[in-house]
Amino acid sequence: MMMTDPRTVASNSPVAEILEALMSKHRLNQTELAHRSGVSQPAINRILRERSKAKHPRQDTLEKLAAELGVTPDQLAGREPISAHMLARGVVPVLRWEQLLPTDSSGDGGQSAWLACPVEHSDETFALPVLGEAMRGDDGYREGEFLFVDPCVPASHGKDVVVLHGETALFRRLVVTPEGRFLKTLNPGWPTPIMRLPHDAMIRGTVVFSGRLR
């Protein structure tokens, strides 16, 4: 069961990712956006370059940039959802694993971070951090790597999927055989390398990107 909230997610500022995606959508470079918004080009460059290390932009900076880019300051800051269709590269929310579970009672409707997904994906796509070592292997994943999970992509043989079963969330590779559907780990030393997919489990989505195309 993957329940840890990684500190890297909490510390990330989503402004750079959202700003970059909106600039791409409107085909604006830094100089053009500076001229049209009244925010200096060095200030825009600092937001984009320093990413999570940058201080949060001032409210008046957010307001000027948001007004030019057709969003609200809260959307630009990642405090309110922004639809993927508004972006050239869809920015997707980074979720905690426990947010996928029906028993989650955190009541936290906001997102601590957003990431731009560099491949085609639906508006339902979200990102999750890899936790644990079950999927570590030659064709596997590193702990802390981000998964981009699209619920609209069909789960087929050989695809890596996120599965919900009761109060457990799993990340495994789907194996489809004449005998049924199974979930397989990529770590050859994992205690339970393969298990039958429970009939009452729900496949929450298929991994479409994780630093490389899959």
Side-chain angles (χ1 to χ4, degrees):
M1 186 168 172
M2 306 176 182
M3 301 294 289
T4 304
D5 186 10
R7 281 177 284 181
T8 54
V9 174
S11 64
N12 283 347
S13 168
V15 178
E17 299 286 356
I18 298 173
L19 177 58
E20 187 175 60
L22 287 167
M23 288 172 63
S24 179
K25 168 73 173 179
H26 292 279
R27 295 193 173 98
L28 293 172
N29 60 34
Q30 294 181 27
T31 302
E32 292 166 337
L33 180 59
H35 176 72
R36 295 168 68 166
S37 68
V39 176
S40 71
Q41 187 274 330
I44 294 171
N45 180 263
R46 188 163 52 251
I47 294 171
L48 294 173
R49 187 184 69 250
E50 296 183 2
R51 304 278 165 172
S52 61
K53 297 178 182 178
K55 294 180 179 178
H56 286 281
R58 291 167 31 179
Q59 183 64 24
D60 63 330
T61 297
L62 286 175
E63 290 174 355
K64 290 176 182 177
L65 292 173
E68 182 58 39
L69 295 168
V71 295
T72 69
D74 281 343
Q75 286 176 321
L76 182 57
R79 293 188 291 265
E80 287 183 357
I82 180 168
S83 246
H85 78 270
M86 298 175 67
L87 306 162
R89 290 188 304 154
V91 174
V92 304
V94 178
L95 302 184
R96 303 186 311 275
W97 281 89
E98 55 263 45
Q99 285 179 279
L100 302 179
L101 302 176
T103 54
D104 177 49
S105 57
S106 63
D108 181 11
Q111 300 305 142
S112 58
W114 295 73
L115 291 174
C117 182
V119 298
E120 290 292 326
H121 61 280
S122 76
D123 286 357
E124 303 299 316
T125 302
F126 55 89
L128 287 169
V130 175
L131 301 178
E133 302 209 349
M135 293 293 280
R136 190 178 184 90
D138 292 340
D139 186 35
Y141 303 78
R142 299 178 302 276
E143 185 166 10
E145 184 177 354
F146 282 100
L147 309 171
F148 291 85
V149 183
D150 191 340
C152 296
V153 172
S156 57
H157 175 72
K159 293 291 187 180
D160 297 328
V161 296
V162 171
V163 175
L164 304 183
H165 183 228
E167 297 185 11
T168 302
L170 295 173
F171 169 43
R172 297 288 189 270
R173 179 157 293 175
L174 181 64
V175 177
V176 181
T177 73
E179 290 75 34
R181 298 198 296 173
F182 298 85
L183 299 175
K184 175 185 175 183
T185 66
L186 300 182
N187 184 343
W190 197 252
T192 309
I194 193 163
M195 61 178 285
R196 184 177 291 274
L197 179 67
H199 72 278
D200 57 344
M202 178 179 73
I203 296 179
R204 184 66 175 78
T206 300
V207 176
V208 293
F209 189 80
S210 65
R212 55 180 170 154
L213 288 170
R214 293 191 174 263

